[in-house]
Amino acid sequence: MRVGVLALQGDIQAHEAVLERLGCRAREVRRAHDLDDLHGVVLPGGESTTMWHFLRRTQLDEALRCFLRSGGAAFGTCAGAILLAREVRNPDGRGLDGIDIGIERNGYGRQTESRVIDAATDDPEAPSIEAVLIRAPRIVRVGSAVRVRAHLHEEPVWVESGRVIATTFHPELTHDTRVHRRFLDLARDFAEACMAPDTQ
Ligand code: GLN
């Protein structure tokens, strides 16, 4: 199984460090061909407007859309979640359509309102997860096929659909590796599907 981290801008190394701790050396994705033969890609937090600029310039936007359509696993944190969304607000636009959600940039307010808070998960064995929110976007709509894995005051902060995960918080900045482990499971699932294409 091969995974990568989109390495245009943002907290790339924090994700690489978590994946490394989980036994996975990630490839840095800077150009469209870096996605070739990957099974999963992490889209880190950062500044989504800057990331869009680089994505378009390198044509990685189209390559990522293709990767997502082919069933590749993806995990976007914060700005990465904005990139993966179907609709974006503030300003209004469209994301890569990797997951059927609507997301509002800076939906929890400005930098001064960034905080660390416990979110409630859907796992009775581990019912809370530490959520680091940094100028976080707010998920304002979830499609019917989207599963809410964690929420904060009834608002989703960790969502999944198919092999795509979006979190509005930064699990790579805590010691909790749950979301990254889930991402690796989804990437492994895609790797297995690639080896048995007839059963897809
Ligand atoms: N507010 C940033 C954006 O709109 C996201 C912040 C983050 O990734 N921590 O892109």
Side-chain angles (χ1 to χ4, degrees):
M1 178 186 55
R2 288 173 296 273
V3 299
V5 177
L6 184 67
L8 301 176
Q9 191 260 345
D11 69 336
I12 302 152
Q13 281 154 10
H15 281 287
E16 288 174 341
V18 182
L19 294 170
E20 182 101 37
R21 260 199 284 147
L22 296 173
C24 224
R25 171 153 306 182
R27 179 190 301 166
E28 296 197 341
V29 174
R30 292 200 178 82
R31 290 167 191 278
H33 66 77
D34 294 330
L35 281 173
D36 291 351
D37 76 15
L38 284 190
H39 302 113
V41 64
V42 173
L43 290 79
E47 187 52 50
S48 56
T49 46
T50 308
M51 287 184 183
W52 278 122
H53 173 75
F54 287 126
L55 282 178
R56 291 198 186 102
R57 210 166 69 177
T58 54
Q59 286 155 12
L60 255 170
D61 54 344
E62 255 329 294
L64 278 166
R65 279 196 183 92
C66 250
F67 178 78
L68 292 164
R69 272 198 302 269
S70 72
F75 169 25
T77 56
C78 207
I82 297 170
L83 301 183
L84 285 175
R86 178 168 290 178
E87 306 118 30
V88 180
R89 299 189 192 159
N90 185 29
D92 291 357
R94 294 190 73 75
L96 296 169
D97 201 11
I99 185 163
D100 182 15
I101 57 171
I103 198 161
E104 182 190 354
R105 293 185 59 232
N106 302 326
Y108 292 101
R110 303 185 65 79
Q111 187 72 30
T112 49
E113 284 155 71
S114 297
R115 60 196 189 277
V116 183
I117 191 165
D118 277 342
T121 76
D122 64 350
D123 179 2
E125 313 248 298
S128 79
I129 186 161
E130 199 179 16
V132 179
L133 296 166
I134 306 171
R135 282 189 308 122
R138 187 188 293 260
I139 295 172
V140 290
R141 184 190 69 76
V142 289
S144 53
V146 174
R147 177 171 165 202
V148 176
R149 302 293 316 268
H151 60 86
L152 190 60
H153 312 310
E154 307 308 318
E155 289 181 354
V157 292
W158 168 5
V159 289
E160 282 184 24
S161 180
R163 297 194 187 97
V164 178
I165 305 174
T167 66
T168 54
F169 60 98
H170 290 271
E172 74 282 9
L173 299 181
T174 67
H175 294 293
D176 193 325
T177 56
R178 250 180 290 176
V179 192
H180 287 83
R181 279 186 277 133
R182 175 72 180 144
F183 161 69
L184 290 176
D185 285 347
L186 295 172
R188 194 168 300 110
D189 183 63
F190 182 53
E192 280 162 13
C194 291
M195 284 193 295
D198 295 344
T199 59
Q200 272 259 56

